[in-house]
Amino acid sequence: MISFLRLFIAFSLRHAARHRGRTIAVVCGIALGAAVFTSVRLAVHASIASFTRSMDFFAGNADRVLVQPGGVLPEETLARFYTHPAVRDYTVLSTTYARKADAAAPPFLLIGIDPLLDRTFREWRLRGREAEAVEGWLDLLREPYTVLLSLPLARELGLAPGARLALEHTRRTADFRVAGLLEPSGLALVEGGRVGIVDIATFQELTGLYGKIDRIDLKFRRGVSAAEIEELARSLPQDLALHPPSAARESGVTMIRAYQLNLSVLSFASLFVGMFLVYSLVALNVAARRKELAILRALGAAPRTLFALFLSEGVLLGTLGWLAAIPLGAVLVRHLLEAVSRTISTLFVRVRVEDLELSAAEIAVSFAVTVVTSLLAAWQPAGEAMRVPPREAMDMVAPEERRRRSARFAALLALGCLAACGALLPLPPAGGVPLAGYLAVLLLFLGFALLSPFLLEHLASGLDGLLARLAGPPARLAGRAVRQGAVRTAVSVGALITAVALFTALVIMVHSFRRTVETWVRQTVSGELFVTAKLGQVNRFRFPIPEDIVEGLRRLDAAFDLVESRRWFLERGHFPYEFEAMGMETFFRHGDFLWLQGDPAAIRPRAARGEGVLVSEVFAARTGLRPGDRFEARIEGSLVDLPILGVVRDYRTDGGIVFYSHAHFRERFHDPRWSGVRFFFREPPADPEAELSRLRRAILERWGDRLDLVGGRELREAVLRIFDETFAVTTVLLLIALAVAALGIATTLTVLVLERSRQLNTILAVGGSPRQIRSMIFWEAAFLVVTGEGAGLACGVLLSGMLIEVINRQSFGWTFLYTVDWPSLGLSLPLIFGAALGAALPAVRAAFRQPPAALLRQR
């Protein structure tokens, strides 16, 4: 080992030090990729940690949780457990979102508990001396409208113990006294530490849920068997469900991890592009030092020693790149954290991340992936090094025919990769993860990268005569140089192909998705004004609009049609989804769904008559249910069993949604009340803005303090803004991948110029001008960039189809209409071409770094 280290220092490290410029460039490329990969994973990990911590603090040490799907439990349900032989302890818990009586104040989580029963289930402690803490705890029990605030929330609101706080909720606004502040532990850490705790009786008065609770937590006696627990579950009414306390956490984490996998794969693309840089540099070192390798072999070095030398170079580059990525990732992760957590809150579950948590496991994964990627990149060149024969010490050049055979062999391998890619696409996901699809993407990239030597050779050969006539000897010499170095330069071209393909595919995918969402917003999220109960959105529409307001809204204005709705958030196994009862008949007069399966003309009247439900594409994909199957669910005690009429596109939630007629739900099951209503113009008015302002003013004057209003245009713009924010992360990843690819072009050209320094300076010595040398180098860059962009564009079109039809469908369950944003592609590709061509500047400077006489003198 000591001998090998001495050889590595003398042979590899000294060579890297002499060519520190190219080494630094490759390390920077790896650092960019590793920083993006690490930052994305740390940001998602922080969101998962925040969510799981909140769920664990809620769950406490309960064994089971009793809930009513889509509704609340009557307090009388507790009587079942007073003397039940299997139950040791029980407690109740309810949650809602409230805010300081100020429309601009952000809402926070308000938790209602029984302070006596809850002490053995969850941890929460008051700050201050023991006597003060006990007094605050007793105040929560004996004094109505007292609240305990977490320390971060109290600081945000500027409150101290004893202060008064007017709390605003959907049902009412009430004046509270702050009885104490919570230590930062247990329940006080939920939702990033923005919580308040009240007694369950005060909670019920504030929310109007008299005699109702969200859930009952149970602890079983020691030695209770699973059979006894199952018997207890069977003895409960059918509208109740007994779940493990971790069920909500597991379903949420499953959805977030699917998002994490997709972002990790996308961010790995930057690291994958950096892999080409490592391959390029190690392959260059092998090719440029073949004579030295042959001499080492002649002196007795074993092939495995040479193999280990160049593998060690790959490991060293990966390690240095990862170390350089640490400060870059520290900056990047702060910007990604907010965007990632906001996307997770919008699409999956509500998270609030206050602090970044460094995960040793995630850091280890980042290090391992970076180093292993660099190791794999160095594997093939290291294999070439160990096969250098000792006799090559006397050879001057490698045979030209071997280069051609290499290009043809690489082309055959490329066709094999593309064929395997096509065979993998029809395979189903494994455990909900599109592993076959991801492998197909990797094979697609490898196939096009392997095809690049063949493309470079034929492009240079095909344009040889034309370029000689149009651009003169520099272009012709550049074409010959590209043909001779096609295999070596193909590595950097492969990096550019990968980056351009990702850029093209995501431009197409995002444009297709946005155009589909725009169509969906116009048709399904249609309406002039949306009205919900105050804080209805953040409280998941749990609290219906009061009946007196409903009656007033019905009689408000004859110029508008009303579409009422009620939404419930349900679960099917561990799969969360929404059920929405809405005024179908009126809705179909003014809007429509974005249909996917079924004949819309035949289904619309049936849906309006309440003959069945419509399900979203995501719901159909998650459950496997199709038109003709039956949908079953328990909602607030009612067993809903209806046929599925059709499948529609809907992008409101990753969990899917089911639609049914509100009027027929009331007739067949129970009165669902209204959680929201939207207004449509009955006839197009002469001045829509004036009419809408008049309606909004009338509602605000009568019920402004009890309702939330949002204009249809505002809501649709907000949906599209959230969509754009969701894909902002992918834009950052794309730009970094393109930057790494441009760095690869710069490295390759610089290396080629340094290799051919004698040749270039000979041209200068016999009368060639610096301008001709610069022209030749730029023409070489043009060959590489044109090949990379052309192949990358073709690869990107194929990749976009795979992302839309396979990976996106299997990961999230939704698809969209395939459309290409030709103007954006047409504008961006020349910009990429110019940026990549600008990468030739370092190579031009390297060509004239030393005078010709110094380089041409004999040694």
Side-chain angles (χ1 to χ4, degrees), residues 24 37 39 98 141 243 323 339 388 415 464 545 610 637 640 679 685 705 751 778 808 825:
I24 291 173
F37 181 79
S39 300
L141 281 169
H243 294 311
L323 292 174
V388 174
L415 294 178
D464 185 69
I545 299 173
V640 178
F679 290 82
D705 60 337
V751 166
F778 275 111
N808 202 65
L825 281 179

Side-chain angles (χ1 to χ4, degrees), residues 291-315:
K291 188 176 293 293
E292 297 174 40
L293 295 174
I295 293 172
L296 284 176
R297 288 292 315 281
L299 293 176
R304 63 176 180 272
T305 301
L306 304 186
F307 181 75
L309 275 176
F310 287 96
L311 275 190
S312 300
E313 284 189 20
V315 172

Side-chain angles (χ1 to χ4, degrees), residues 312-335:
S312 300
E313 284 189 20
V315 172
L316 178 64
L317 290 170
T319 303
L320 292 176
W322 185 83
L323 292 174
I326 293 176
L328 181 60
V331 175
L332 187 60
V333 72
R334 294 291 177 183
H335 297 283

Side-chain angles (χ1 to χ4, degrees), residues 371-445:
V371 173
V372 169
T373 299
S374 301
L375 180 68
L376 293 176
W379 191 279
Q380 194 275 336
E384 288 289 327
M386 70 182 292
R387 287 192 289 271
V388 174
R391 63 177 175 80
E392 208 171 292
M394 302 301 296
D395 293 340
M396 299 303 295
V397 294
E400 175 73 10
E401 183 59 28
R402 181 184 175 191
R403 177 188 59 78
R404 292 179 178 173
R405 284 202 304 267
S406 297
R408 287 199 296 268
F409 180 68
L412 291 175
L413 284 178
L415 294 178
C417 288
L418 295 178
C421 171
L424 287 171
L425 289 178
L427 297 180
V433 179
L435 294 179
Y438 290 135
L439 182 57
V441 170
L442 178 61
L443 289 174
L444 181 70
F445 287 150

